[in-house]
Amino acid sequence: MTERYVWDLQEVDETQLAVVGGKGAHLGGLSRIEGIRVPGGFCVTTDAFQRIMAEAPSLDHRLDQLSRLNPDDREAIRTLSAEIRRTIEEIAIPGDLTAAITRALAQLGEQAACAVRSSATAEDLPTASFAGQQDTYLNVVGPTAILQHVSRCWASLFTERAVTYRQRNGIDHRTVHMAVVVQRMVFPHAAGILFTADPVTGNRKVATVDAGFGLGEALVSGLVNPDVFKVRHGEVVGKAIAAKQRAVHALPTGGTQEVAIDPQRQEQPALTDAQAVRLVRLGRRIEAHFGRPQDIEWCLVDGGFQIVQSRPITTLFPIPETGDQENHVYVSVGHGQMMTDPMKPLGLSMWQLTAMVPMHTAGGRLFVDVTRRLASPASRAGLLDVIGRGDPLIRDALETVLDRDDFVPSLPDGGPGGPPAGGASAPIETDPAIVTELIERSQVSIAALERDIRTKTGPALFDFLLEAFEEHKRVLSDPLSMRAIMAGMEATWWLNDTLREWLDEKNAADTLTLSAPDNVTSEMGLALLDVADVIRPHSEVVAFLQGVEYIEDKAFLDELAKLTGGTEARDAIEAYLDRYGMRCVGEIDITRPRWRERPTTLVPVILDNVRNFEPGAAERRFEQGRQKAQKKEQDVLSRLRSLPDGDRKADEAKRMIDRVRTFIGYREYPKYGIVSRYFVYKQALLEEAERLVQAGVLPEKEDIFYLTFEELHDVVRSHQVDGRLIQQRKDAFRSYHALTPPRVLTSDGEAVTGAYRRDDVPAGALIGLPVSAGTVEGRARVILDIAEADLEAGDILVTTFTDPSWSPLFVGIAGLVTEVGGQMTHGAVIAREYGLPAVVGVEQATRLIRDGQRIRVHGTDGYVEILP
């Protein structure tokens, strides 16, 4: 079949992206929607681009060089991409291709003014818009100029920004081709951008119109501030009219120029309210056609709207699917579980199958629908109280939604709102034997799981796992376990609230819980200090560990054993992995590599411990904490006895101190049990995946991570898999990393951000939640990956979130700041255990605090100062 180099816009639609690129495909689709006007024109296809690229064999070598460059090597990218662009622009367009373009141009009128616009095949996609990555030329007149600008569009596939964008998004330069759209130029009275969903809040019911005089180029380039109209349900609900001092107009001879706007017109609206509403109505039609919210470029010409581009808005957080039209309010699970990164499909479905409440997925994250609980006044109060103690920002966001006009329906008490969050706590004795018994129960259940799963393969394994998930949930919901957890938390709250009232002391429980017994997470951090003690005397082992990044995980421990002192080091690490090897960062996602699977992850922390601590540090740290707590207890009780009715107050406080020290450590154990089970499930599923690979069903084991549990069950039964589905899931997962999950999300798509609403902090301070008392100054170390930790004594760790796997770092730092967290999340509990001043829930902490800056953490009052 011979290549066809030119297609009329009316001939193409979204199915022909590979031929006419994203912009061309969308414009073709737009031109087919009833009532939508698109300026006439044609597409120069990707076949033409590929033919031009074939004309210069030297381009092949340069593309190889380009693909090998680091995305951060801007100088090399700038130089090489400029060479590629120059080469493309210098290639003479073959005669038959010139003739095809000129013939199409004659249909528009040979001297017609045109817009010549790049249209890449990786552009305007649902997961990556590539907005502004390639070039557009306005008001180009005459065949010679248009052919020249077509060449420039081809070359613009290799602008520095386009090359860098592709490399950062893992897109191979050779897989992206360039088409060019040539359209009749329109000369608008006004132009701008319509977002069919609010691009700031994500609300799908609110459309935003940005408008200015003249060509839209003035807005896109940032030359002027636009008028902004907010439209909801067919009426303007918000409006800001800007002083528009400049506009971009077309010149009669071709090209464009900036012009000053008459002062009398500058503050006139570019659109009337009625026009804004009419434009949004057209936008809703376009949105319905493409099936998702759109970012639309429009022109107002002779009182009518013409659409010159429409692309998906890729920054919106997706909405959980419900299948109904009811209002819903969702709370993020990741903010409670200290893991706001996206999860792979197997991880999402495994957590859903083993969770105690129904969960919904969106954007690779999990959410709980709390609408019914908010609807009933009784359950609402309980939910807000528990959530507010954990994360005030979530509580404030929920209250913001409740303040809206009837978004959450009101149900009578006793309706299907469910019990208050946490349930009512039945009495429980302050008896350490209860914790011992609960831990033994968990260990017996996990040992039975490990024993019984060994013989299960194929479909029988999945039947067994479904039963195992029921046991998993039974252990998690054990009433005694729930009461023990609540006893520790309620005692903490009682001590903080009551001692503040009686002694005017904030966060007293933070010191009283230091070195509490039976805390498996804090023990894990101290145990790695003991591993460092074994390694420290052996210089050959230390040197080996310093170069370990070049060694595969599988060979790491075997290689270690060959060194002097290496056997002892290996045995110490093995013993540590036997107890804690099921843990890792983001451990609620079963697909994340565990320490046992990737032991080299621990090496940077071990080396920090070798460098920063003396032998015996673990035992000393624990004992110092215990003595500090004991001294605090004596001080509190002594001060209480000197108060009116002091003996009664001291006795009550003593009971609560005993209670918190008995139960608060157990707060960490259920998660340890969950993750222990997860590792057993994972090993069994990976063995099953290996059998699928051997049978030729799957190319690689890790492909199972992109299937849900149910889908994987089907694959094991049928020995058939949809490879395209797995690839789609991989692409989607990659795109989810660019999304910031909201704490609270509504079914309108609005991401509701709460506020602390405090006026008791210094100007410029970063506000958060005080979770571990004390004040500390030090160097901020902004660390987003535990494997890149490089800490000195006295450093303050600043990161997005800390789940239990981060606790080995806590022994070597002086303070903690996180973007996510609450009073009873793992990072807060361990910070208190170790006596680290800590502030959590500090929005954008990792962006606002630079690595190496000196900061002061006010762990008692809940704010962070950046020091000069």
Side-chain angles (χ1 to χ4, degrees):
M1 181 182 120
T2 58
E3 283 90 352
R4 184 171 167 195
Y5 295 126
V6 174
W7 292 73
D8 190 277
L9 271 181
Q10 299 278 349
E11 296 179 275
V12 300
D13 62 22
E14 306 90 301
T15 63
Q16 287 153 298
L17 186 139
V19 179
V20 296
K23 191 176 286 122
H26 277 82
L27 285 167
L30 283 166
S31 67
R32 291 159 180 256
I33 305 171
E34 189 180 343
I36 303 299
R37 293 169 60 203
V38 176
F42 59 89
C43 298
V44 182
T45 66
T46 53
D47 284 338
F49 169 78
Q50 288 172 277
R51 178 159 171 201
I52 291 296
M53 293 293 283
E55 296 278 327
S58 65
L59 286 172
D60 219 37
H61 171 62
R62 286 188 174 129
L63 286 180
D64 282 342
Q65 287 178 287
L66 198 60
S67 64
R68 287 196 291 269
L69 292 179
N70 185 316
D72 295 322
D73 190 347
R74 298 188 63 173
E75 191 55 46
I77 289 174
R78 185 178 300 124
T79 304
L80 191 52
S81 58
E83 283 178 25
I84 293 170
R85 287 198 304 279
R86 196 161 50 247
T87 302
I88 293 171
E89 286 186 41
E90 287 170 357
I91 296 169
I93 301 177
D96 58 334
L97 183 45
T98 299
I101 295 171
T102 309
R103 271 196 307 275
L105 195 54
Q107 301 289 313
L108 298 179
E110 210 166 87
Q111 291 304 309
C114 293
V116 183
R117 314 173 70 193
S118 302
S119 180
T121 52
E123 179 176 63
D124 297 352
L125 306 177
T127 57
S129 74
F130 288 75
Q133 299 306 315
Q134 286 90 35
D135 291 344
T136 283
Y137 302 96
L138 300 178
N139 202 30
V140 183
V141 180
T144 304
I146 282 171
L147 286 165
Q148 183 183 28
H149 285 85
V150 167
S151 282
R152 286 182 182 170
C153 284
W154 287 330
S156 77
L157 190 64
F158 297 98
T159 61
E160 182 188 343
R161 64 184 182 273
V163 166
T164 304
Y165 189 93
R166 287 196 294 274
Q167 286 186 254
R168 291 196 190 286
N169 282 277
I171 296 167
D172 182 351
H173 301 299
R174 293 174 191 280
T175 63
V176 185
H177 302 134
M178 180 66 85
V180 181
V181 174
V182 179
Q183 277 178 289
R184 189 189 301 279
M185 187 71 191
V186 292
F187 303 99
H189 161 75
I193 300 162
L194 159 63
F195 298 96
T196 63
D198 189 312
V200 177
T201 69
N203 194 324
R204 310 308 200 260
K205 301 276 177 71
V206 176
T208 302
V209 177
D210 289 1
F213 294 123
L215 293 165
E217 198 65 18
L219 303 191
V220 174
S221 64
L223 179 66
V224 296
N225 290 324
D227 296 340
V228 179
F229 299 81
K230 301 276 186 187
V231 178
R232 181 186 178 103
H233 298 322
E235 63 176 306
V236 174
V237 293
K239 180 167 57 174
I241 304 305
K244 300 169 288 296
Q245 296 173 341
R246 317 282 296 166
V248 174
H249 284 176
L251 292 167
T253 54
T256 61
Q257 73 171 147
E258 285 179 32
V259 296
I261 295 176
D262 188 305
Q264 282 80 40
R265 285 186 65 220
Q266 286 180 7
E267 296 198 27
Q268 284 181 10
L271 294 179
T272 65
D273 285 10
Q275 286 172 327
V277 168
R278 182 152 53 92
L279 175 60
V280 169
R281 204 171 295 130
L282 295 174
R284 292 287 176 223
R285 203 175 289 177
I286 294 168
E287 179 183 66
H289 174 83
F290 289 118
R292 50 171 43 91
Q294 297 288 299
D295 161 357
I296 298 165
E297 292 180 25
W298 55 269
C299 297
L300 180 64
V301 187
D302 300 329
F305 288 105
Q306 297 205 30
I307 305 300
V308 294
Q309 188 155 332
S310 186
R311 61 167 74 93
I313 307 176
T314 58
T315 55
L316 299 176
F317 200 87
I319 307 170
E321 291 178 16
T322 57
D324 64 37
Q325 297 303 307
E326 304 290 316
N327 288 348
H328 294 271
V329 182
Y330 302 99
V331 169
S332 163
V333 172
H335 285 80
Q337 289 294 335
M338 299 294 89
M339 216 295 272
T340 52
D341 290 348
M343 295 166 68
K344 296 188 181 86
L346 186 62
L348 292 167
S349 70
M350 292 288 278
W351 194 261
Q352 286 174 300
L353 286 164
T354 52
M356 302 308 298
V357 294
M359 292 187 178
H360 304 263
T361 65
R365 278 80 168 188
L366 291 163
F367 294 86
V368 173
D369 186 344
V370 295
T371 320
R372 299 297 257 182
R373 295 267 284 282
L374 289 174
S376 164
S379 60
R380 179 192 309 152
L383 177 71
L384 291 175
D385 181 52
V386 170
I387 280 182
R389 287 182 180 277
D391 188 331
L393 291 177
I394 295 181
R395 176 176 182 143
D396 189 76
L398 291 175
E399 288 176 333
T400 301
V401 175
L402 287 166
D403 288 342
R404 303 266 167 83
D405 297 339
D406 300 325
F407 187 85
V408 177
S410 197
L411 297 174
D413 281 345
S425 294
I428 183 174
E429 288 180 59
T430 304
D431 181 0
I434 293 172
V435 173
T436 306
E437 181 193 340
L438 285 167
I439 290 172
E440 282 175 3
R441 280 191 206 175
S442 177
Q443 288 173 338
V444 167
S445 176
I446 292 166
L449 171 67
E450 290 173 328
R451 182 189 66 238
D452 295 344
I453 204 170
R454 284 185 194 131
T455 57
K456 307 295 189 291
T457 62
L461 170 65
F462 288 81
D463 295 338
F464 172 83
L465 282 171
L466 289 170
E467 290 175 22
F469 297 162
E470 293 309 308
E471 168 67 2
H472 180 125
K473 288 194 275 192
R474 189 195 64 74
V475 171
L476 265 188
S477 61
D478 180 338
L480 186 62
S481 177
M482 301 293 281
R483 281 156 55 201
I485 292 168
M486 288 309 296
M489 289 165 67
E490 285 166 353
T492 303
W493 297 334
W494 188 94
L495 285 166
N496 280 337
D497 294 347
T498 309
L499 295 181
R500 182 159 192 174
E501 181 189 335
W502 289 347
L503 298 175
D504 195 28
E505 181 166 345
K506 294 178 186 173
N507 302 33
D510 293 359
T511 308
L512 293 166
T513 53
L514 288 171
S515 298
D518 299 311
N519 187 319
V520 70
T521 309
S522 61
E523 288 166 4
M524 178 172 73
L526 296 173
L528 207 58
L529 287 174
D530 292 334
V531 172
D533 286 353
V534 174
I535 287 167
R536 193 178 291 106
H538 303 293
S539 57
E540 203 177 327
V541 172
V542 173
F544 170 80
L545 293 179
Q546 285 166 341
V548 88
E549 62 197 85
Y550 305 109
I551 294 174
E552 283 188 30
D553 278 285
K554 289 185 176 67
F556 162 58
L557 293 168
D558 293 337
E559 291 296 314
L560 189 59
K562 297 173 184 175
L563 309 171
T564 305
T567 306
E568 297 97 306
R570 181 195 62 190
D571 291 348
I573 293 171
E574 284 279 13
Y576 187 85
L577 292 173
D578 286 345
R579 181 144 167 74
Y580 305 111
M582 77 296 286
R583 309 218 85 149
C584 67
V585 173
E587 61 194 11
I588 69 168
D589 182 353
I590 198 172
T591 73
R592 291 285 192 107
R594 310 283 134 178
W595 290 343
R596 170 53 82 184
E597 296 169 309
R598 197 173 285 176
T600 52
T601 306
L602 293 169
V603 168
V605 192
I606 293 172
L607 287 171
D608 282 349
N609 289 349
V610 166
R611 187 174 66 246
N612 296 333
F613 291 92
E614 296 295 319
E619 194 176 338
R620 274 197 309 279
R621 285 288 295 269
F622 188 80
E623 184 54 29
Q624 284 163 1
R626 197 184 64 76
Q627 288 180 13
K628 202 170 173 185
Q630 201 169 26
K631 189 177 172 192
K632 182 70 173 177
E633 178 182 330
Q634 290 165 355
D635 172 59
V636 164
L637 297 179
S638 159
R639 285 158 63 201
L640 286 174
R641 287 195 184 97
S642 69
L643 298 176
D645 198 17
D647 287 345
R648 179 189 65 79
K649 287 175 177 173
D651 287 348
E652 275 190 61
K654 172 63 176 162
R655 276 199 303 277
M656 286 300 178
I657 291 168
D658 290 347
R659 198 161 177 77
V660 82
R661 290 195 66 80
T662 298
F663 292 116
I664 201 65
Y666 178 70
R667 162 76 180 79
E668 291 292 296
Y669 203 86
K671 181 80 172 281
Y672 176 77
I674 290 170
V675 177
S676 298
R677 288 174 185 280
Y678 260 35
F679 194 37
V680 179
Y681 305 153
K682 182 180 187 180
Q683 287 171 305
L685 290 172
L686 281 174
E687 285 171 18
E688 202 58 43
E690 183 58 50
R691 285 188 276 275
L692 291 170
V693 170
Q694 297 298 327
V697 178
L698 286 176
E700 50 190 56
K701 280 195 305 187
E702 284 74 17
D703 282 352
I704 68 167
F705 296 161
Y706 297 93
L707 299 170
T708 66
F709 180 83
E710 296 84 352
E711 288 166 347
L712 179 54
H713 193 176
D714 287 341
V715 170
V716 168
R717 272 196 295 247
S718 67
H719 266 218
Q720 290 182 313
V721 70
D722 183 348
R724 284 170 309 175
L725 175 68
I726 289 175
Q727 189 54 53
Q728 284 167 7
R729 296 271 178 80
K730 288 179 178 178
D731 293 342
F733 177 70
R734 191 183 302 121
S735 75
Y736 293 152
H737 282 88
L739 300 174
T740 301
R743 281 177 164 83
V744 171
L745 179 67
T746 73
S747 48
D748 284 353
E750 184 178 1
V752 190
T753 52
Y756 286 108
R757 307 189 192 283
R758 290 173 55 188
D759 53 12
D760 59 343
V761 298
L766 309 181
I767 301 173
L769 183 65
V771 295
S772 186
T775 302
V776 66
E777 275 185 32
R779 178 179 66 158
R781 294 313 314 268
V782 180
I783 296 173
L784 303 180
D785 181 348
I786 194 171
E788 292 171 10
D790 180 15
L791 296 162
E792 300 287 348
D795 283 348
I796 296 168
L797 173 63
V798 180
T799 190
T800 46
F801 58 80
T802 59
D803 60 11
S805 69
W806 285 76
S807 60
L809 290 186
F810 284 21
V811 298
I813 58 175
L816 174 69
V817 179
T818 68
E819 294 181 348
V820 176
Q823 280 283 359
M824 285 297 165
T825 48
H826 303 277
V829 171
I830 305 309
R832 290 194 289 272
E833 284 268 328
Y834 288 164
L836 299 174
V839 181
V840 302
V842 179
E843 293 276 72
Q844 298 191 31
T846 59
R847 293 176 200 155
L848 298 172
I849 299 171
R850 290 197 313 275
D851 186 53
Q853 276 186 316
R854 287 196 67 76
I855 61 173
R856 185 182 296 127
V857 177
H858 295 263
T860 306
D861 294 310
Y863 63 91
V864 180
E865 290 179 283
I866 299 174
L867 302 176

